Amino acid sequence: MVPLVAALAATGCDPSPPGGTSHSEPSATAAATRAPVAAAPAPPADPPAPEIIVSRDKVDIGRDRLAAPEPGLTDKALVFLRAAPKIQGAKVDVVAMRAAKPSAVAAVLDALEQAGAAGVQLKSETRDGKTQALPVALVKTVPECTAVAWIGKTANVDMWSAGGGVAKRTGRGLAGPDLTLAMDALHKLTERCEAAQVVVGADDAMTFGLVFDLAMEALHQPWTRTSAAVVASDAVPGHKLVLTR
């Protein structure tokens, strides 16, 4: 009798299990039917901060709109700003049209301070039509020596120290406040003060564009020590300044 191994070799039989597939190699059919590995889903994008625009008649906070100016504007804006992303602890961009009322801009800044914003880049147009950004500090108090520059209803500028004292008044120029005279008076007022801000504001008979011009001039003088403006909603020349924030 021929041995079993010799017989298998002679006949060319494969000792593989029935079905003809070796256990040591996957079949082509099995490889082809494997499900592809799904890619991990991308994380959702963070929602952006709302676009805040203050114009003469309204305040837009993202898709929400408020009439301006109107009583209680700060509280009404605060409702939307507290719920908005990227406000608390952030430096927020705000666009203020030149025709906006100074009180409306101040109200929105008040609301941002209460909502926890760290600061504001306040963008507006200069008198020659260029858009620039004014750094605004959101603070509750300022040092008593801080200069206050307030534009009255006849476009005169009163300047005094935040702690109170005699106000220096400069007159009106051809297109609003005489900024050259105002800067001379402001320089004398700040010579002995190391305050990092200057306080600006105006009566609502004026437009915010004039406040913006005044603040930008003050922050870009060669002698200035200030790095940001504080926008006041109300002030009485010569009296101690009380910020409503």
Side-chain angles (χ1 to χ4, degrees), residues 111-145:
L112 282 166
E113 187 274 326
Q114 294 181 44
V120 167
Q121 288 292 316
L122 185 55
K123 300 177 181 179
S124 191
E125 286 189 350
T126 58
R127 284 183 287 188
D128 57 3
K130 296 179 181 178
T131 299
Q132 294 188 4
L134 172 70
V136 173
L138 303 177
V139 295
K140 296 180 183 295
T141 60
V142 294
E144 289 194 349
C145 68

Side-chain angles (χ1 to χ4, degrees), residues 134-139 196-200 215-216 219 226-231:
L134 172 70
V136 173
L138 303 177
V139 295
Q197 297 100 23
V198 60
V199 180
V200 294
M216 291 297 285
L219 263 62
T226 59
S227 57
V230 176
V231 179

